[in-house]
Amino acid sequence: MYQNFQTYLQDELSKIEDAGLYKKERIIVSPQGSEIILENGKKLLNFCANNYLGLANNPKLIEAAKKALDTHGYGMASVRFICGCSDLHKELEEKIAKFFGTEDTILYAACFDANGGLFEPLLSAEDAVISDMLNHASIIDGVRLCKAVRYRYANADMEDLEKQLQMAQAQRFRLIVTDGVFSMDGNVAPIDKILKLAEKYDALVMIDESHSAGVVGKTGRGVTELFNCRGKVEIITGTLGKAFGGAIGGFTTGKKEIIDMLRQRSRPYLFSNSIPPLVAAAGSKMIDIMSETNELQDKLHENTDYFTTKMKNAGFDIKPTQSAICAVMLYDAKLSQIMASKLQDEGIYVTGFYYPVVPKDQARIRVQLSAAHNRADLDKCIDAFVKVGKELKVI
Ligand SMILES: *Cc1c(COP(=O)(O)O)cnc(C)c1O
């Protein structure tokens, strides 16, 4: 039996490879940080991690995790409602709610699960989901699992959203669903305008703050802070895997009854293991650090401004950004791959993206800034871009 299937898979895999879309893993042998060491011993400055605040190797988080290993052991060996809930899990849930100005929080093994388990317990065939076309794969999958009628609107396009909301008046409840930061361009969802339309057309609002929590807004409270809308959306989802320490875990935070219903009916919560206590403990520490000081956000915002300004001045075509994502537009797919590879030769680790990850003829290199980068790191990256950019006649 396997033989036919094997031939089929081999064919499909070579098609992926021929299209230049085959994904290879690069093996890192150091902690995640502004500088990483690859298996071959090569040192690179890392500009493609979601380690926006540099917390992935933060000594205080490591200490909190080690301490929890001693007091609470390694694993929970259970889902939450059987015997997988420790005081550390509850503490983190409360802290996340406080951070976002919401009423309650439910933890998941990942934000992919938070989004996967969000829609089906809340909405039925009588209801509507109105979703931004550029929303994350986990939102798309989560929406697929529920029976609500689906409407889609062009990325951050409020006219289109309004049209879809008018059509969705036929349904009982309406939920507008959006990423906070769209990860390929770095633009943010205009949540103030979305909330106005939600009020006008009687809809609920959900925002996924995975790329924005810790990053966007003066104190890193995310897109709702940036637009002065803290506490106004009904549902926020997010990850512990990006700015929030970079380990693992996701959450949904928002209105009390919504979170309560998720605890009763959300399948990834009911049928999947709890995050390890050490991750919960480090997560709590991470929120403490962010509540005490704004140093990391200030540094990140300063780094992002410095980098994008210098790159623009050097003549690069930079997508307008309101996050720590800086898309250097090249348009040509092949060029994006050549440029990324030449940058790696210069000691800079970045990734080139092209169709189908971004629209056709919109190839780019996505640079992700971090509070862990110092001025010398940024200058080295800019210098490498300028050198390679001139060589390839991009600037
Ligand atoms: C990264 C990301 C996720 C997935 O988060 P994990 O915790 O890694 O599963 C979900 N939504 C958005 C918008 C993301 O950027």
Side-chain angles (χ1 to χ4, degrees), residues 110-112 115 136 138 179 208 210-211 239 242 249:
C111 188
F112 208 104
N115 288 334
H136 190 260
S138 56
D179 276 18
D208 179 339
S210 286
H211 274 286
T239 181
K242 292 185 172 117

Side-chain angles (χ1 to χ4, degrees), residues 218-221 289-290 292-299:
K218 193 166 170 13
T219 67
R221 263 62 175 174
I289 293 173
M290 269 186 245
E292 280 159 20
T293 147
N294 214 38
E295 244 170 66
L296 293 174
Q297 278 80 23
D298 291 347
K299 182 82 192 296

Side-chain angles (χ1 to χ4, degrees), residues 74-129:
Y74 175 61
M76 289 307 291
S78 172
V79 299
R80 283 287 290 280
F81 80 97
I82 299 180
C83 55
C85 181
S86 76
D87 52 338
L88 297 175
H89 293 84
K90 291 315 283 183
E91 188 186 335
L92 177 57
E93 287 179 338
E94 273 166 36
K95 285 188 175 171
I96 289 173
K98 214 163 167 198
F99 185 85
F100 287 101
T102 49
E103 295 174 2
D104 197 6
T105 305
I106 174 173
L107 291 173
Y108 288 86
C111 188
F112 208 104
D113 288 328
N115 288 334
L118 177 66
F119 304 98
E120 188 260 344
L122 300 176
L123 302 172
S124 69
E126 299 163 85
D127 306 317
V129 171

Side-chain angles (χ1 to χ4, degrees), residues 7 22 59 64 70 74 84 103 108 124 150 177 179 242 264 277 310 328 333 394:
T7 313
Y22 192 86
D70 290 337
Y74 175 61
E103 295 174 2
Y108 288 86
S124 69
R150 290 168 221 165
V177 175
D179 276 18
K242 292 185 172 117
Q264 307 313 312
K310 286 256 168 173
V328 183
V394 174

Side-chain angles (χ1 to χ4, degrees), residues 150-360:
R150 290 168 221 165
Y151 298 88
R152 299 199 314 155
Y153 62 97
N155 178 230
D157 182 334
M158 294 299 101
E159 239 172 81
D160 196 11
L161 172 59
E162 183 157 17
K163 254 189 254 160
Q164 305 303 320
L165 280 165
Q166 284 163 355
M167 286 194 270
Q169 293 304 301
Q171 277 75 44
R172 179 183 59 171
F173 299 125
R174 285 153 290 283
L175 176 62
I176 303 169
V177 175
T178 183
D179 276 18
V181 164
F182 297 91
S183 64
M184 286 301 145
D185 288 6
N187 61 316
V188 299
I191 200 69
D192 53 340
K193 298 196 179 81
I194 290 175
L195 279 163
K196 277 209 183 100
L197 287 174
E199 201 177 322
K200 184 167 172 195
Y201 292 98
D202 197 20
L204 305 160
V205 178
M206 173 277 199
I207 183 166
D208 179 339
E209 297 263 29
S210 286
H211 274 286
S212 38
V215 172
V216 172
K218 193 166 170 13
T219 67
R221 263 62 175 174
V223 172
T224 61
E225 181 187 7
L226 186 68
F227 289 101
N228 243 329
C229 301
R230 252 167 75 76
K232 295 208 180 127
V233 303
E234 283 81 11
I235 305 170
I236 295 174
T237 62
T239 181
L240 302 176
K242 292 185 172 117
F244 279 5
I248 189 86
F251 56 85
T252 301
T253 188
K255 296 290 182 204
K256 186 174 155 294
E257 298 76 12
I258 292 175
I259 304 305
D260 205 7
M261 184 54 80
L262 295 175
R263 284 193 207 282
Q264 307 313 312
R265 301 243 172 98
S266 181
R267 290 162 72 84
Y269 173 82
L270 294 174
F271 298 103
S272 187
N273 205 8
S274 300
I275 58 167
L278 67 110
V279 172
S284 281
K285 188 76 200 169
M286 170 275 300
I287 304 259
D288 290 347
I289 293 173
M290 269 186 245
S291 308
E292 280 159 20
T293 147
N294 214 38
E295 244 170 66
L296 293 174
Q297 278 80 23
D298 291 347
K299 182 82 192 296
L300 176 61
H301 296 156
E302 191 187 304
N303 281 353
T304 308
D305 289 346
Y306 181 82
F307 184 82
T308 49
T309 306
K310 286 256 168 173
M311 288 290 282
K312 266 186 239 164
N313 290 347
F316 285 102
D317 180 356
I318 305 291
K319 277 251 178 199
T321 180
Q322 286 174 284
S323 63
I325 288 164
C326 176
V328 183
M329 298 306 293
L330 299 167
Y331 303 98
D332 183 74
K334 205 165 159 196
L335 178 62
S336 71
Q337 299 310 292
I338 295 171
M339 185 142 175
S341 149
K342 281 185 179 283
L343 284 164
Q344 190 170 327
D345 295 341
E346 299 292 321
I348 304 297
Y349 189 16
V350 285
T351 317
F353 290 99
Y354 56 101
Y355 183 80
V357 179
V358 293
K360 270 215 165 87

